Amino acid sequence: MPADSLDSLHAPGSLHPLDPFDAAHRPPGLRERKKLKTRVAIRRATHRLIAEQGYEATTVEQIAEAAEVSPSTVFRYFPSKEDIVLSDEYAPAMADALRGRPAGEEPLESLRAVLTRTVVALLAHEPEETRRRARLMAEVPAVRARTTGTMAATSRALAGVLADRTGRGADDLEVRVLTAAVMGALGEAMVYWAERGQRDDLAALVQRSLDTLRGGPVL
């Protein structure tokens, strides 16, 4: 059974989903909060422009102007346009949530709970950005190719927490394989969701993907 049911994740009054803007996850220092504000402004400007004129027509110069920063500032925060549309502020909150899962819980179930809660949070707090990101992953080869790198960074953060929880080394192969597989399952669930017109429940698709990791595909 999943560590958290989908009903409980969607239920009114349940524990709030992972929200990086919640006080518990907000950067403590003024400088870090300003950096977060700039990152969010750049990302929102990018999504707004893409919605208006398409991905290919949107340039970094246009993004900088819309976000009221310089192009060099955009590149200081994001190495490429692909990184802007694939980024979010959830990785630290995901690591914190994984760290707070019950002691003794199976690693895959801990990761399942964290990923499902993250998806619910994304759809609650950033629904249009999340839908657009999934469509771009499915439709734009450059975005799809860059997805591996951005998910690898989150995978490494989760692997570090999981290694601490299980008493394994920070560079343990099995831990790295598990977190990479889980993040890969999330990516494929998002692409599948987009390819099917985003009619399905994304959180349920993530659950199905992780069930496949547990028992192998039933074909």
Side-chain angles (χ1 to χ4, degrees):
M1 288 291 291
D4 288 307
S5 72
L6 291 179
D7 287 343
S8 68
L9 288 168
H10 288 286
S14 62
L15 288 174
H16 71 79
L18 292 176
D19 178 4
F21 301 105
D22 182 85
H25 300 116
R26 200 172 291 147
L30 177 61
R31 181 170 179 173
E32 291 305 312
R33 290 199 299 272
K34 286 183 176 179
K35 286 182 178 180
L36 174 59
K37 189 175 180 179
T38 301
R39 283 176 57 87
V40 171
I42 293 169
R43 196 171 67 243
R44 288 179 176 168
T46 302
H47 280 273
R48 184 169 65 253
L49 288 168
I50 291 172
E52 293 171 356
Q53 61 190 34
Y55 179 80
E56 297 297 342
T58 299
T59 66
V60 170
E61 288 73 21
Q62 291 172 334
I63 292 168
E65 182 178 358
E68 299 183 344
V69 297
S70 66
S72 63
T73 297
V74 174
F75 283 120
R76 187 161 66 246
Y77 282 87
F78 301 99
S80 69
K81 187 169 68 173
E82 291 77 24
D83 286 289
I84 303 174
V85 299
L86 289 170
S87 74
D88 56 52
E89 308 303 328
Y90 282 74
M94 289 172 68
D96 288 345
L98 180 59
R99 197 173 287 112
R101 294 300 302 174
E105 184 176 56
E106 291 186 13
L108 181 58
E109 293 310 310
S110 296
L111 290 165
R112 179 197 298 272
V114 171
L115 259 67
T116 306
R117 194 171 289 275
T118 301
V119 166
V120 171
L122 283 167
L123 290 172
H125 296 284
E126 302 177 1
E128 292 308 313
E129 288 187 10
T130 301
R131 291 178 180 277
R132 189 173 298 110
R133 181 183 300 127
R135 288 195 298 270
L136 292 171
M137 288 168 63
E139 297 169 2
V140 180
V143 174
R144 183 68 182 273
R146 185 66 189 119
T147 301
T148 302
T150 58
M151 287 196 166
T154 302
S155 176
R156 287 192 295 272
L158 296 176
V161 176
L162 200 59
D164 289 341
R165 283 172 56 85
T166 58
R168 290 175 175 257
D171 205 34
D172 184 88
L173 176 61
E174 285 76 13
V175 170
R176 290 174 59 177
V177 168
L178 177 58
T179 56
V182 165
M183 292 305 298
L186 172 62
E188 286 304 313
M190 291 187 70
V191 170
Y192 180 85
W193 180 57
E195 290 173 343
R196 292 167 59 87
Q198 299 178 336
R199 295 184 300 271
D200 301 303
D201 182 338
L202 179 56
L205 293 180
V206 171
Q207 295 275 0
R208 279 178 56 191
S209 300
L210 297 180
D211 287 342
T212 301
L213 289 184
R214 171 171 291 285
V218 179
L219 303 176

XYZ file of all heavy atoms in Angstrom, residues 121-173:
392
model
N 1.341 19.249 -4.903
C 1.694 20.645 -4.623
C 1.901 21.435 -5.909
O 1.446 22.571 -6.035
C 2.947 20.701 -3.755
N 2.596 20.845 -6.869
C 2.827 21.533 -8.136
C 1.512 21.877 -8.830
O 1.334 22.980 -9.341
C 3.681 20.651 -9.049
C 5.180 20.608 -8.731
C 5.841 19.468 -9.485
C 5.840 21.931 -9.092
N 0.591 20.925 -8.843
C -0.687 21.159 -9.505
C -1.548 22.161 -8.728
O -2.382 22.845 -9.313
C -1.431 19.843 -9.688
C -0.798 18.906 -10.720
C -1.485 17.545 -10.692
C -0.856 19.506 -12.121
N -1.334 22.243 -7.418
C -2.098 23.189 -6.604
C -1.541 24.601 -6.703
O -2.293 25.577 -6.799
C -2.118 22.731 -5.147
N -0.212 24.729 -6.691
C 0.426 26.036 -6.614
C 0.874 26.582 -7.964
O 0.948 27.791 -8.147
C 1.628 25.984 -5.670
C 1.260 25.688 -4.255
N 0.694 26.623 -3.422
C 1.367 24.546 -3.520
C 0.468 26.072 -2.231
N 0.867 24.825 -2.277
N 1.224 25.686 -8.903
C 1.736 26.116 -10.209
C 1.109 25.272 -11.311
O 1.813 24.610 -12.092
C 3.266 25.983 -10.245
C 3.990 26.781 -9.165
C 5.500 26.563 -9.185
O 5.988 25.813 -10.057
O 6.183 27.133 -8.330
N -0.216 25.259 -11.417
C -0.863 24.331 -12.359
C -0.503 24.574 -13.816
O -0.202 23.621 -14.551
C -2.363 24.552 -12.095
C -2.450 25.904 -11.458
C -1.203 26.055 -10.660
N -0.528 25.833 -14.252
C -0.250 26.106 -15.664
C 1.209 25.849 -16.002
O 1.527 25.304 -17.066
C -0.650 27.549 -16.007
C -2.145 27.792 -15.973
C -2.909 26.782 -16.819
O -2.492 26.538 -17.976
O -3.910 26.220 -16.332
N 2.109 26.243 -15.109
C 3.533 25.987 -15.349
C 3.796 24.484 -15.409
O 4.583 24.017 -16.239
C 4.383 26.625 -14.254
C 4.449 28.142 -14.338
C 5.438 28.727 -13.345
O 6.191 27.949 -12.730
O 5.454 29.956 -13.178
N 3.170 23.727 -14.531
C 3.380 22.284 -14.503
C 2.861 21.633 -15.781
O 3.526 20.771 -16.373
C 2.675 21.678 -13.278
O 3.204 22.278 -12.090
C 2.892 20.170 -13.211
N 1.692 22.055 -16.231
C 1.134 21.504 -17.467
C 1.995 21.879 -18.670
O 2.269 21.043 -19.548
C -0.308 21.996 -17.657
C -1.279 21.406 -16.652
C -2.692 21.936 -16.822
N -3.584 21.350 -15.850
C -4.161 20.164 -15.979
N -3.940 19.440 -17.066
N -4.961 19.690 -15.042
N 2.439 23.128 -18.715
C 3.278 23.567 -19.836
C 4.615 22.843 -19.821
O 5.131 22.441 -20.866
C 3.477 25.080 -19.781
C 4.152 25.651 -21.042
C 4.171 27.171 -21.020
N 2.815 27.710 -21.010
C 2.269 28.321 -19.959
N 2.949 28.489 -18.837
N 1.043 28.792 -20.028
N 5.190 22.676 -18.650
C 6.472 21.963 -18.538
C 6.340 20.545 -19.080
O 7.193 20.073 -19.838
C 6.929 21.927 -17.074
C 8.268 21.225 -16.861
C 8.618 21.165 -15.381
N 8.717 22.487 -14.815
C 8.057 22.900 -13.732
N 7.236 22.069 -13.104
N 8.219 24.116 -13.274
N 5.272 19.860 -18.730
C 5.076 18.494 -19.207
C 4.903 18.456 -20.721
O 5.454 17.577 -21.402
C 3.858 17.878 -18.512
N 4.145 19.422 -21.264
C 3.966 19.459 -22.721
C 5.297 19.698 -23.432
O 5.585 19.076 -24.463
C 2.955 20.542 -23.105
C 1.518 20.207 -22.743
C 0.539 21.126 -23.462
N 0.701 22.525 -23.099
C 0.054 23.121 -22.095
N -0.786 22.421 -21.334
N 0.236 24.397 -21.835
N 6.114 20.606 -22.891
C 7.414 20.881 -23.507
C 8.335 19.669 -23.417
O 9.090 19.387 -24.353
C 8.062 22.097 -22.846
C 7.373 23.441 -23.108
C 7.977 24.532 -22.223
C 7.468 23.827 -24.577
N 8.280 18.945 -22.310
C 9.063 17.720 -22.182
C 8.684 16.718 -23.257
O 9.530 15.999 -23.796
C 8.860 17.105 -20.796
C 9.532 17.870 -19.666
S 8.992 17.320 -18.023
C 9.545 15.614 -18.005
N 7.400 16.673 -23.585
C 6.917 15.704 -24.571
C 7.160 16.177 -26.007
O 7.355 15.345 -26.907
C 5.424 15.448 -24.363
N 7.171 17.496 -26.235
C 7.141 18.015 -27.601
C 8.457 18.607 -28.096
O 8.681 18.669 -29.318
C 6.053 19.093 -27.707
C 4.641 18.552 -27.452
C 3.614 19.656 -27.298
O 4.002 20.854 -27.437
O 2.444 19.341 -27.022
N 9.305 19.088 -27.191
C 10.528 19.783 -27.609
C 11.745 18.913 -27.274
O 12.051 18.702 -26.090
C 10.646 21.157 -26.904
C 11.927 21.863 -27.339
C 9.427 22.014 -27.214
N 12.445 18.406 -28.290
C 13.583 17.509 -28.031
C 14.636 18.094 -27.096
O 15.186 17.380 -26.250
C 14.151 17.262 -29.436
C 12.977 17.443 -30.346
C 12.167 18.544 -29.730
N 14.936 19.396 -27.231
C 15.964 20.004 -26.378
C 15.548 19.997 -24.916
O 16.377 19.784 -24.016
C 16.248 21.433 -26.835
N 14.260 20.221 -24.657
C 13.765 20.193 -23.274
C 13.813 18.770 -22.744
O 14.237 18.522 -21.611
C 12.336 20.771 -23.196
C 11.774 20.614 -21.788
C 12.335 22.235 -23.602
N 13.362 17.807 -23.557
C 13.375 16.413 -23.135
C 14.806 15.957 -22.822
O 15.054 15.277 -21.823
C 12.765 15.537 -24.232
C 12.665 14.051 -23.876
C 11.646 13.811 -22.778
N 11.552 12.428 -22.387
C 10.769 11.535 -22.989
N 10.019 11.891 -24.031
N 10.720 10.294 -22.557
N 15.766 16.364 -23.658
C 17.149 15.964 -23.439
C 17.704 16.556 -22.147
O 18.454 15.886 -21.416
C 18.006 16.400 -24.625
N 17.330 17.784 -21.849
C 17.854 18.455 -20.655
C 17.195 17.930 -19.382
O 17.752 18.094 -18.289
C 17.626 19.970 -20.779
C 18.241 20.784 -19.660
C 19.746 20.719 -19.660
N 20.312 21.333 -18.476
C 21.065 20.690 -17.581
N 21.366 19.413 -17.766
N 21.543 21.321 -16.525
N 16.036 17.276 -19.528
C 15.324 16.759 -18.360
C 16.200 15.830 -17.533
O 16.172 15.852 -16.298
C 14.048 16.005 -18.805
O 13.210 16.904 -19.532
C 13.290 15.468 -17.608
N 16.999 15.012 -18.200
C 17.866 14.059 -17.489
C 18.793 14.776 -16.527
O 18.960 14.358 -15.375
C 18.686 13.234 -18.500
O 17.799 12.548 -19.382
C 19.558 12.218 -17.773
N 19.401 15.877 -16.977
C 20.329 16.601 -16.124
C 19.662 17.259 -14.937
O 20.174 17.217 -13.818
N 18.498 17.881 -15.170
C 17.836 18.574 -14.067
C 17.300 17.580 -13.037
O 17.359 17.837 -11.830
C 16.685 19.454 -14.586
O 15.747 18.650 -15.311
C 17.211 20.544 -15.485
N 16.806 16.452 -13.502
C 16.313 15.450 -12.555
C 17.454 14.767 -11.809
O 17.293 14.338 -10.669
C 15.446 14.426 -13.274
C 14.094 14.978 -13.665
S 12.909 13.695 -14.098
C 11.376 14.647 -14.066
N 18.617 14.700 -12.447
C 19.772 14.092 -11.781
C 20.171 14.892 -10.546
O 20.581 14.319 -9.532
C 20.946 13.986 -12.745
N 20.049 16.214 -10.620
C 20.402 17.049 -9.468
C 19.461 16.764 -8.293
O 19.908 16.635 -7.143
C 20.330 18.525 -9.859
N 18.169 16.656 -8.569
C 17.221 16.321 -7.499
C 17.475 14.914 -6.987
O 17.406 14.656 -5.778
C 15.777 16.438 -8.021
O 15.557 17.756 -8.510
C 14.778 16.133 -6.915
N 17.784 13.996 -7.895
C 18.081 12.617 -7.503
C 19.263 12.561 -6.537
O 19.232 11.839 -5.536
C 18.379 11.781 -8.750
O 18.763 10.471 -8.399
N 20.297 13.341 -6.802
C 21.463 13.349 -5.913
C 21.106 13.890 -4.531
O 21.595 13.386 -3.509
C 22.591 14.168 -6.533
C 23.283 13.483 -7.701
C 24.573 14.193 -8.081
N 24.333 15.536 -8.577
C 24.092 15.833 -9.851
N 24.059 14.878 -10.750
N 23.897 17.086 -10.226
N 20.262 14.925 -4.499
C 19.850 15.483 -3.203
C 19.071 14.447 -2.399
O 19.287 14.278 -1.189
C 19.004 16.733 -3.423
N 18.168 13.735 -3.057
C 17.395 12.708 -2.365
C 18.282 11.527 -1.960
O 18.078 10.938 -0.895
C 16.255 12.221 -3.274
C 15.188 13.264 -3.626
C 14.184 12.670 -4.606
C 14.487 13.782 -2.387
N 19.250 11.196 -2.809
C 20.151 10.091 -2.484
C 20.945 10.385 -1.216
O 21.171 9.487 -0.387
C 21.098 9.823 -3.651
N 21.362 11.635 -1.049
C 22.099 11.988 0.161
C 21.274 11.787 1.413
O 21.765 11.259 2.425
N 20.002 12.182 1.362
C 19.121 12.007 2.515
C 18.857 10.528 2.755
O 18.892 10.046 3.897
C 17.787 12.754 2.301
C 16.831 12.501 3.465
C 18.036 14.244 2.146
N 18.598 9.795 1.677
C 18.297 8.371 1.819
C 19.495 7.604 2.367
O 19.348 6.680 3.179
C 17.875 7.800 0.462
C 17.095 6.496 0.476
C 15.808 6.638 1.271
C 16.791 6.060 -0.955
N 20.701 7.997 1.966
C 21.910 7.363 2.500
C 22.005 7.589 4.004
O 22.320 6.663 4.770
C 23.144 7.920 1.794
N 21.713 8.796 4.455
C 21.731 9.080 5.889
C 20.701 8.230 6.636
O 20.965 7.712 7.728
C 21.431 10.562 6.144
C 22.575 11.463 5.711
O 23.703 10.958 5.555
O 22.337 12.674 5.529
N 19.498 8.101 6.051
C 18.418 7.364 6.712
C 18.714 5.875 6.808
O 18.261 5.209 7.747
C 17.113 7.563 5.946
C 16.443 8.907 6.171
C 15.269 9.098 5.234
N 14.276 8.053 5.317
C 13.269 8.011 6.188
N 13.130 9.003 7.053
N 12.395 7.025 6.182
N 19.439 5.339 5.837
C 19.680 3.901 5.791
C 21.061 3.503 6.301
O 21.385 2.312 6.371
C 19.515 3.387 4.354
O 20.421 4.093 3.486
C 18.083 3.582 3.869
N 21.884 4.499 6.661
C 23.216 4.191 7.163
C 24.197 3.778 6.083
O 25.270 3.241 6.385
N 23.854 4.040 4.845
C 24.757 3.708 3.749
C 25.637 4.912 3.418
O 25.381 6.022 3.857
C 23.971 3.281 2.506
C 23.279 1.928 2.648
C 22.430 1.617 1.434
N 21.855 0.286 1.499
C 22.309 -0.767 0.810
N 23.369 -0.631 0.026
N 21.723 -1.944 0.912
N 26.640 4.678 2.591
C 27.529 5.756 2.192
C 26.829 6.726 1.252
O 25.884 6.358 0.541
N 27.314 7.963 1.232
C 26.696 8.996 0.398
C 26.787 8.655 -1.079
O 25.970 9.133 -1.881
C 27.357 10.343 0.676
N 27.762 7.832 -1.467
C 27.945 7.474 -2.877
C 27.545 6.027 -3.142
O 27.991 5.426 -4.114
C 29.397 7.707 -3.277
C 29.546 7.950 -4.778
O 28.637 8.562 -5.367
O 30.557 7.506 -5.352
N 26.686 5.472 -2.289
C 26.269 4.073 -2.419
C 25.548 3.840 -3.747
O 24.640 4.599 -4.117
C 25.333 3.732 -1.255
C 24.923 2.277 -1.260
O 25.651 1.462 -0.672
O 23.870 1.957 -1.862
N 25.938 2.802 -4.469
C 25.376 2.565 -5.794
C 23.884 2.271 -5.734
O 23.104 2.813 -6.533
C 26.105 1.395 -6.470
C 25.549 0.982 -7.846
C 25.648 2.132 -8.844
C 26.296 -0.247 -8.363
